[in-house]
């Protein structure tokens, strides 16, 4: 049977090209290649970089946002290392290394300032990018994420969903496991035939050894966690029914940012809010991005 997800990806790539996007492979250093979707033309519009979560690659995660924003912004969508077409022969699996590779890739693509939009794992890498490259990252939209995945956050999160490790939850080996993963991450998972889960598993869940190592490197010991004082304008955009990183976690994150962030939430939406409620998400995201642009104008 033909893989329906692979067919969908081909059609999606065609739509992206019609919207003014194109794929690019960028060599970060010998042995490290990053895959990006980038604007076909750069004409000085504000730059928005979308950082995906751990389940899907960049364009599958952010397809609805890219198609909605590509005419008004210069949109960049990278795949993290060991997702999509991004790969490295280096042993470093830390979020800091992911941040370094994304930043170097953006520099090579001619980006000198940008707004980051990060979901879950992408939010954590985004915080690292903002910390390491404050001249590159001017603002951030963080969705259903935390500043760092500490031991205590890990314990409470895994206890809520009934798994013993993030790898057990995020790297399912069966169609049933994938359906359970998406069900937990959604407010209300729509019905899909079982073969769709099977095909999605075949297309999206390779590099299991390396992704397990990424998850192991992501966890920060409680005693090693410290709050960085971010200079960027940061906004939080949440699904009210997220059970992985609950609305309580969003309020905690807002407190850690010491009044610099505003929290926006979307009802009847879980962890995968950009996919589950794309119209509501895009409406709020556009307002936030417009406010960032206005702030930048006032600084000039």
């Amino acid at each position: 049977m033909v893989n329906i997800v692979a067919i969908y990806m081909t059609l999606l790539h065609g739509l992206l090209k019609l919207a003014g996007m194109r794929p690019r492979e960028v060599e970060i250093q010998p042995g490290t290649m990053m895959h990006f979707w980038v604007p076909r033309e750069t004409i000085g519009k504000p730059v928005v970089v979308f950082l995906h979560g751990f389940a899907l690659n960049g364009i599958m995660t952010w397809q609805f946002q890219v198609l909605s924003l590509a005419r008004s912004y210069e949109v960049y969508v990278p795949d993290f290392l060991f997702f999509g077409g991004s790969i490295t022969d280096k042993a470093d699996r830390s979020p800091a290394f992911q941040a370094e590779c994304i930043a170097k890739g953006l520099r090579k693509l001619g980006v000198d300032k940008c707004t980051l939009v990060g979901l879950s794992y992408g939010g954590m890498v985004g915080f690292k990018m903002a910390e390491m490259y404050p001249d590159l990252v001017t603002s951030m939209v963080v969705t259903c994420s935390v500043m760092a995945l500490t031991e205590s956050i890990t314990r409470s999160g895994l206890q809520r969903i009934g798994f013993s490790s993030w790898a057990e939850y995020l790297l399912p080996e069966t169609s049933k496991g994938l359906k359970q993963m998406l069900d937990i991450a959604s407010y209300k998972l729509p019905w899909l035939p079982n073969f769709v889960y099977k095909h999605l598993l075949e297309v999206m869940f390779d590099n299991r050894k390396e992704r397990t190592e990424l998850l192991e490197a992501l966890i920060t010991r409680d005693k090693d966690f410290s709050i960085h004082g971010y200079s960027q304008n940061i906004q939080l955009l949440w699904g009210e029914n997220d059970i992985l990183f609950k609305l309580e976690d969003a309020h905690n994150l807002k407190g850690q940012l010491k009044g610099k962030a505003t929290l926006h939430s979307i009802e009847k939406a879980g962890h995968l809010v950009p996919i589950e409620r794309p119209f509501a998400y895009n409406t709020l995201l556009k307002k936030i991005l417009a406010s960032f642009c206005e702030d930048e104008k006032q600084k000039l």
Side-chain angles (χ1 to χ4, degrees):
M1 183 179 181
V2 177
N3 189 298
I4 195 72
V5 175
I7 293 174
Y8 178 79
M9 289 289 289
T10 300
L11 294 173
L12 177 60
H13 291 173
L15 282 175
L16 291 166
K17 290 174 182 177
L18 289 174
M21 303 287 291
R22 65 188 178 104
R24 279 285 304 271
E25 303 290 335
V26 180
E27 184 178 45
I28 307 303
Q29 56 191 3
T32 302
M33 295 290 295
M34 298 291 294
H35 179 268
F36 285 79
W37 278 90
V38 305
R40 189 165 51 238
E41 296 180 324
T42 54
I43 55 175
K45 292 183 288 189
V47 175
V48 180
V49 179
F50 287 96
L51 303 178
H52 64 85
F54 210 85
L56 306 174
N57 67 14
I59 212 61
M60 279 291 279
T61 300
W62 295 110
Q63 54 187 295
F64 302 115
Q65 288 67 46
V66 173
L67 292 171
S68 179
L69 294 173
R71 292 189 179 186
S72 302
Y73 296 89
E74 292 178 5
V75 174
Y76 292 77
V77 188
D79 288 328
F80 287 127
L81 295 170
F82 305 112
F83 292 84
S86 298
I87 199 73
T88 185
D89 60 5
K90 304 297 182 289
D92 195 340
R93 302 290 184 258
S94 68
F97 185 58
Q98 294 275 24
E100 177 187 341
C101 290
I102 297 292
K104 287 182 176 178
L106 290 170
R107 297 286 198 200
K108 285 175 178 274
L109 290 166
V111 175
D112 58 4
K113 290 185 182 300
C114 67
T115 293
L116 299 180
V117 182
L119 170 67
S120 195
Y121 180 66
M124 299 174 215
V125 176
F127 274 119
K128 274 295 175 189
M129 280 185 67
E131 178 183 341
M132 295 165 64
Y133 304 98
D135 58 328
L136 173 65
V137 180
T138 61
S139 50
M140 282 182 64
V141 180
V142 179
T143 294
C144 300
S145 187
V146 289
M147 203 175 286
L149 190 62
T150 61
E151 293 169 324
S152 55
I153 291 174
T154 291
R155 280 194 300 271
S156 60
L158 292 175
Q159 185 176 17
R160 275 197 303 274
I161 63 175
F163 283 82
S164 62
S165 69
W166 290 119
E168 182 188 8
Y169 170 63
L170 289 167
L171 294 172
E173 297 183 356
T174 64
S175 300
K176 182 179 178 181
L178 176 56
K179 183 177 181 180
Q180 184 182 20
M181 184 195 82
L182 294 174
D183 187 46
I184 289 171
S186 305
Y187 170 71
K188 186 176 182 181
L189 185 68
W191 180 87
L192 294 171
N194 286 332
F195 72 82
V196 173
Y197 296 105
K198 179 177 182 293
H199 291 180
L200 187 61
L201 200 64
E202 291 171 358
V203 171
M204 288 289 160
F205 289 84
D206 54 359
N207 297 322
R208 289 175 175 273
K209 175 180 177 292
E210 292 83 0
R211 292 193 194 183
T212 299
E213 293 167 352
L214 289 175
L215 289 168
E216 291 170 351
L218 187 59
I219 298 175
T220 300
R221 292 186 298 180
D222 287 342
K223 66 180 183 179
D224 294 334
F225 173 65
S226 61
I227 298 172
H228 180 76
Y230 294 94
S231 60
Q232 293 86 355
N233 190 344
I234 300 175
Q235 301 286 302
L236 311 179
L237 182 48
W238 231 259
E240 285 188 5
N241 305 97
D242 185 5
I243 63 171
L244 292 172
F245 299 122
K246 299 181 72 174
L247 208 53
E248 177 186 343
D249 295 309
H251 285 289
N252 289 340
L253 179 56
K254 182 180 177 182
Q256 290 172 341
L257 293 167
K258 298 179 180 177
K260 288 188 175 182
T262 301
L263 173 60
H264 314 263
S265 61
I266 297 173
E267 64 180 5
K268 296 181 180 179
H271 190 70
L272 297 176
V273 56
I275 301 171
E276 194 173 20
R277 296 287 313 276
F279 296 111
Y281 187 90
N282 290 352
T283 297
L284 284 171
L285 180 60
K286 287 177 180 178
K287 290 179 180 178
I288 293 169
L289 294 177
S291 73
F292 287 165
C293 291
E294 191 60 35
D295 290 344
E296 286 301 309
K297 287 179 183 177
Q298 291 178 8
K299 291 178 183 178
L300 297 177

